[in-house]
Amino acid sequence: MIDVAKRAGVGLGTVSRVVNGGAGVRDETASRVRAAIDALGFQRNEVARALRPGKKSSSLALVLGDLTNPFFATIAKSSLEVAGQVGFAVVLGSVDEDPEGEKRAIQELIGRQVAGLMIVPDQGDHSFLASAGVPVVFVDRPAHGIDADIVMVDNEGGGRLAAEHLLQQGHERIAILLAPSYYTTGRRLRGYRRAYRSAGLDVDESLVVQLSEGNAEAAEKATRELMHRPDPPTAFFASTNFLTEGVLRALRGVDAEPAVVGFDDFRLADMLPTPVTVVASDIAELGRTAARLLLDRTSGIDTRPPQRIVLPCALIQRGSGERPPSAGKRIKAEPAGE
Amino acid sequence: MIDVAKRAGVGLGTVSRVVNGGAGVRDETASRVRAAIDALGFQRNEVARALRPGKKSSSLALVLGDLTNPFFATIAKSSLEVAGQVGFAVVLGSVDEDPEGEKRAIQELIGRQVAGLMIVPDQGDHSFLASAGVPVVFVDRPAHGIDADIVMVDNEGGGRLAAEHLLQQGHERIAILLAPSYYTTGRRLRGYRRAYRSAGLDVDESLVVQLSEGNAEAAEKATRELMHRPDPPTAFFASTNFLTEGVLRALRGVDAEPAVVGFDDFRLADMLPTPVTVVASDIAELGRTAARLLLDRTSGIDTRPPQRIVLPCALIQRGSGERPPSAGKRIKAEPAGE
C-alpha cells in the first residue's frame, strides 16, 4: 500500500480517497494513483480494504537505544523518512539497556494509540506485547515471548567474515570483544567460532571477552588488559562500533599494533591514522525495511505469517584489518595497508 | 513543575495527585513531593494550577534536521530524557533543509494535539506558528515572524574565539567556510570579523566562502579550490562539524597543512592523525534546557515573556588549531601540537 502511495508520490490518505471515489482529488493525481495500483498489480478492492475507515491512528512508535549511537540514529532517520512519505508521524522512545524502562516506554506508547510499533528490543520477555493490539516489528534483534516480524542483519555471517579475514592474514590469536550478552553479539561470536573451526584451529577461550558494559571505555580497558598479558593477541575483532572505538583508543601508542576489524561502519573510520577495516551492513536499509513492513502490516495489506528478513554484511578493507601478525616488529607510526 | 517532579523522583501525575489530596499515593512518596514543593519555594496552589485538569496531551513535538548529524541526535536524546522523566512522549519530525517540508511537518504535528513544540527552525517565515495554540520553543536558531522562546549557543562569541585563537598563532589568512546562510553561521562569521577588527587586520573577502550546501563534500571541494590558489590560506575555520570533516578530507596529503579549527565537537576528533581543535558548547544541555523550558510553558508555571537563553562556547585545543603559519615548511607526517 505504501508502495502505491510512494509510486504515485502521494499520501495514504490520497490513495484512500481515490479508491473510494476520488472526491477532492485532482484528476491528474487520481490517474497517477490508479496507474500505480495497476502497475503494482493490486486489486482495487484489496487497496480499499487496506484503507478501510476506522483506522484512525497515523502514528508509529519507534523504541530504540541511545540516539547518539549512529547505529540507532540511522535507523530512526530512515524509518522516519519512510513513515513521513505516507503521512505517518513517529513517536520516539529511547531507552538504553534498561529492560524495565523499555517496558514502561512501550506501554506508554501503546496507550497513545499508535498504529504499530517498531522496536529494537532489549533483553527480557516481550510477551506483554502480544496484547498490544497493534502490529509489532522488531529491528536488529528478535525478542523473547512473542512471534513477530524481525528485520536484522546477518550477524553470524558478518562475524565469520571478520574472523576469516583475520585468519587469512595469518592471525591465530584473535581477541573478540563482546557487548553485554545481546543476541547480535552472540551470533557474531558464533560466526567467529565457525571461522576458527573451518580453519581447523581451536579458539583460545581467554580471548573471548564478555564486557559488562557496551561502551568504548569498557572496550578500552579490556584491550589494555589483553595487551598486558604475556601472550597478547595479534588481532582484535570488536563486535560493535563503540567497542571498535575503545580498542583503537587502547592501541594508541602500542608499539606492536595488532590488526583490528570492527563490526558496523562509522563516520571518520577512513580518516584515522590507520583507516579502519569493518564488517558492515546497510543500516539505513534496515530501518527502511522495518518501517515499510510495519506500515504494510498496519494497513492490513500484508497478512503473511511473521517474517524474518536478514540483510547481508560485507567486509570493507581499509588497513587496520590487513596488518600481519608480525606487525609487532614494525614501528608504530608506519601506517599499514595504505 | 518539572523540577518538583524530578526532585521528588516521581512523574507529573504523582505530583498532581499529591497536590489534589494524595489519593493513591504512598505516604512516603507524598511527603517527598511536598518536601520538593517546599524546597523549591512553590505555592501549593501554584502547583495545582499548573496541573489543572483538562490538559490532556502529554506529548511534545520535536522538529529538527538530519538525525545522523550528531548535533541533532544529541538534542533529540537529551530532550527525550527530560520529557521522559515526567512522563511526556516525544513525536519526532526530521526535515533537512526544506522549509516547505518543515512547515508541513509542523502542521501535521500540531494536528496531533501535542502539548508543545520544540523546533530547530529552517529558514523562512514561521508566523504560522502564532496560531498553533501551544507553546513553542526554538532551539539553536531563532525564527522569523514569531516572538517565542529561543535556546541557543553563543555563536558570535564562539566564532570570535576560533578566529582569535588562529590570529594569536600568527595566522592572517584564515579561510572561513559557511554552511548555507543559517542564522548560526552568520553569527559565527560576525565573530570572525570582530576578531579581525580587534587585531587591526582587514578580512580578505575571498577567504569568506559561502557554500551552497552544508555537507562535508561541499566543504572538501571548496577547501581544495582554496588550496590551489596562488595565495592559499594558512588556516581554516570550519563553521559546522560536517564542514570540519570536509576540510580535513581535503587537507589529507597536503604538504603544508594549514591550521584548522572547527565549530562543534565531534566523536573521534581526538583520534585523527592531528587531533582537531574545536570551539564547542554543551549540545546536550541545549536540548535539556529547551525541553525544560517547554515543559514549564506547557504546564503554565512559566508565564514570563519570551526568553532568550544563550549557552557559552569554549575552545578545546587539540593540535590542528595550533599549527603555526610556517607549517608549510614542515613535512606533512609530523604531527603538530602533540
Side-chain angles (χ1 to χ4, degrees):
Chain A
M1 205 44 42
I2 306 315
D3 297 328
V4 172
K6 276 176 64 180
R7 191 181 177 105
V10 300
L12 272 184
T14 305
V15 177
S16 174
R17 282 195 293 280
V18 171
V19 174
N20 292 303
V25 180
R26 285 193 303 153
D27 287 350
E28 189 265 326
T29 308
S31 26
R32 223 164 58 226
V33 171
R34 283 189 209 101
I37 291 173
D38 293 341
L40 292 167
F42 285 114
Q43 300 297 317
R44 201 64 50 88
N45 62 352
E46 189 181 21
V47 175
R49 197 173 54 243
L51 296 166
R52 67 186 177 278
K55 297 195 150 281
K56 277 181 308 185
S57 173
S58 56
S59 300
L60 302 180
L62 171 60
V63 180
L64 36 56
D66 177 3
L67 276 174
T68 58
N69 183 338
F71 177 81
F72 294 119
T74 303
I75 290 175
K77 178 190 182 183
S78 59
S79 53
L80 245 78
E81 276 170 4
V82 169
Q85 280 162 2
V86 293
F88 272 67
V90 175
V91 192
L92 204 66
S94 175
V95 187
D96 208 27
E97 304 193 7
D98 172 8
E100 276 311 303
E102 187 210 33
K103 188 170 176 180
R104 272 198 309 278
I106 292 173
Q107 284 169 330
E108 251 273 72
L109 292 169
I110 293 172
R112 285 164 199 278
Q113 304 198 299
V114 292
L117 292 158
M118 261 179 75
I119 303 175
V120 182
D122 209 322
Q123 293 172 273
D125 183 37
H126 284 75
S127 56
F128 68 96
L129 279 168
S131 61
V134 292
V136 178
V137 172
F138 291 108
V139 189
D140 190 45
R141 319 159 186 161
H144 294 294
I146 177 173
D147 190 24
D149 292 315
I150 160 81
V151 183
M152 58 202 303
V153 306
D154 181 6
N155 293 292
E156 183 173 333
R160 184 167 180 162
L161 263 182
E164 266 175 4
H165 183 64
L166 290 166
L167 289 165
Q168 279 162 11
Q169 319 292 311
H171 294 279
E172 297 192 359
R173 297 184 54 69
I174 306 166
I176 177 169
L177 301 196
L178 300 158
S181 53
Y182 283 139
Y183 172 88
T184 49
T185 52
R187 291 285 155 154
R188 291 166 196 177
L189 172 59
R190 186 186 286 198
Y192 162 98
R193 290 192 187 283
R194 289 187 63 161
Y196 263 85
R197 208 157 36 241
S198 295
L201 293 170
D202 286 329
V203 170
D204 176 348
E205 295 299 332
S206 77
L207 298 180
V208 177
V209 181
Q210 192 71 58
L211 304 172
S212 58
E213 288 186 279
N215 55 35
E217 292 69 31
E220 185 174 353
K221 186 162 169 280
T223 303
R224 287 237 167 75
E225 286 166 7
L226 284 161
M227 292 305 290
H228 278 108
R229 289 193 193 170
D231 55 347
T234 65
F236 282 82
F237 171 29
S239 69
T240 74
N241 54 356
F242 281 180
L243 301 192
T244 307
E245 179 182 330
V247 170
L248 297 172
R249 288 190 182 280
L251 294 181
R252 280 195 297 186
V254 167
D255 274 347
E257 208 169 347
V260 178
V261 175
F263 201 108
D264 283 335
D265 204 5
F266 55 94
R267 200 159 191 120
L268 300 177
D270 63 322
M271 293 281 286
L272 295 181
T274 303
V276 184
T277 294
V278 296
V279 166
S281 48
D282 186 343
I283 306 304
E285 186 57 23
L286 189 69
R288 279 191 294 265
T289 304
R292 276 191 213 110
L293 180 56
L294 181 58
L295 286 165
D296 279 348
R297 294 295 196 188
T298 300
S299 71
I301 195 83
D302 189 341
T303 56
R304 294 174 298 171
Q307 299 291 302
R308 182 189 179 85
I309 299 172
V310 180
L311 305 185
C313 291
L315 182 77
I316 305 174
Q317 301 187 30
R318 293 203 184 100
S320 72
E322 291 69 49
R323 292 194 193 102
S326 55
K329 290 164 199 153
R330 308 189 313 167
I331 60 161
K332 182 219 159 194
E334 185 184 342
E338 279 193 327
Chain B
M1 206 44 41
I2 305 316
D3 295 329
V4 172
K6 276 175 64 180
R7 191 181 178 104
V10 299
L12 273 184
T14 306
V15 178
S16 174
R17 281 195 292 280
V18 171
V19 174
N20 293 301
V25 180
R26 285 192 303 154
D27 286 350
E28 190 266 324
T29 308
S31 25
R32 223 164 57 227
V33 171
R34 283 188 210 102
I37 291 172
D38 293 341
L40 292 166
F42 285 114
Q43 300 299 318
R44 201 66 48 87
N45 62 352
E46 189 181 21
V47 174
R49 198 172 55 243
L51 296 165
R52 67 186 177 278
K55 298 198 148 278
K56 277 180 308 185
S57 173
S58 56
S59 301
L60 303 180
L62 171 60
V63 180
L64 36 57
D66 178 2
L67 276 174
T68 57
N69 183 337
F71 178 81
F72 293 119
T74 304
I75 290 175
K77 179 189 181 183
S78 59
S79 53
L80 244 78
E81 276 169 4
V82 169
Q85 281 162 2
V86 292
F88 272 67
V90 174
V91 193
L92 203 67
S94 174
V95 188
D96 207 27
E97 304 192 7
D98 171 8
E100 276 310 303
E102 188 212 33
K103 188 171 175 177
R104 272 199 308 277
I106 293 173
Q107 284 170 329
E108 251 274 69
L109 292 170
I110 293 172
R112 286 165 199 279
Q113 305 197 299
V114 292
L117 292 157
M118 262 181 74
I119 303 175
V120 182
D122 210 324
Q123 293 173 272
D125 182 36
H126 284 75
S127 56
F128 68 96
L129 280 168
S131 61
V134 293
V136 178
V137 172
F138 292 107
V139 189
D140 189 46
R141 318 158 187 163
H144 293 294
I146 176 172
D147 191 21
D149 291 315
I150 160 83
V151 183
M152 58 201 304
V153 305
D154 181 7
N155 293 291
E156 183 173 332
R160 185 169 179 162
L161 264 182
E164 266 175 4
H165 182 64
L166 290 166
L167 288 164
Q168 278 161 11
Q169 319 292 312
H171 293 279
E172 297 192 357
R173 297 185 53 69
I174 306 166
I176 177 170
L177 301 196
L178 300 159
S181 51
Y182 283 139
Y183 171 88
T184 49
T185 52
R187 291 286 154 152
R188 291 167 196 177
L189 172 59
R190 187 187 285 197
Y192 162 97
R193 291 192 186 284
R194 288 187 63 162
Y196 263 84
R197 206 157 41 240
S198 295
L201 293 170
D202 286 329
V203 170
D204 175 349
E205 294 298 332
S206 76
L207 297 180
V208 177
V209 181
Q210 191 70 60
L211 303 172
S212 57
E213 288 185 281
N215 55 35
E217 293 68 32
E220 185 174 353
K221 185 162 170 283
T223 303
R224 287 236 166 76
E225 286 167 7
L226 283 161
M227 292 305 290
H228 278 109
R229 289 193 192 170
D231 55 349
T234 65
F236 282 81
F237 172 29
S239 69
T240 75
N241 55 356
F242 280 0
L243 301 192
T244 307
E245 179 183 330
V247 170
L248 296 173
R249 288 188 181 281
L251 295 181
R252 280 196 296 187
V254 167
D255 274 347
E257 209 168 347
V260 178
V261 175
F263 202 107
D264 283 334
D265 204 4
F266 56 94
R267 200 159 190 119
L268 300 177
D270 63 322
M271 293 280 286
L272 295 181
T274 304
V276 185
T277 295
V278 296
V279 166
S281 48
D282 186 344
I283 305 304
E285 185 58 22
L286 190 68
R288 280 192 294 264
T289 304
R292 276 191 214 111
L293 180 56
L294 181 56
L295 285 165
D296 278 347
R297 293 297 194 185
T298 300
S299 71
I301 196 83
D302 189 341
T303 56
R304 294 175 297 172
Q307 298 293 301
R308 182 190 179 86
I309 299 173
V310 180
L311 305 185
C313 291
L315 182 77
I316 305 174
Q317 301 187 31
R318 294 203 183 100
S320 72
E322 291 69 49
R323 292 193 192 104
S326 56
K329 288 164 199 151
R330 309 192 309 167
I331 60 161
K332 180 217 162 200
E334 185 185 342
E338 280 190 325

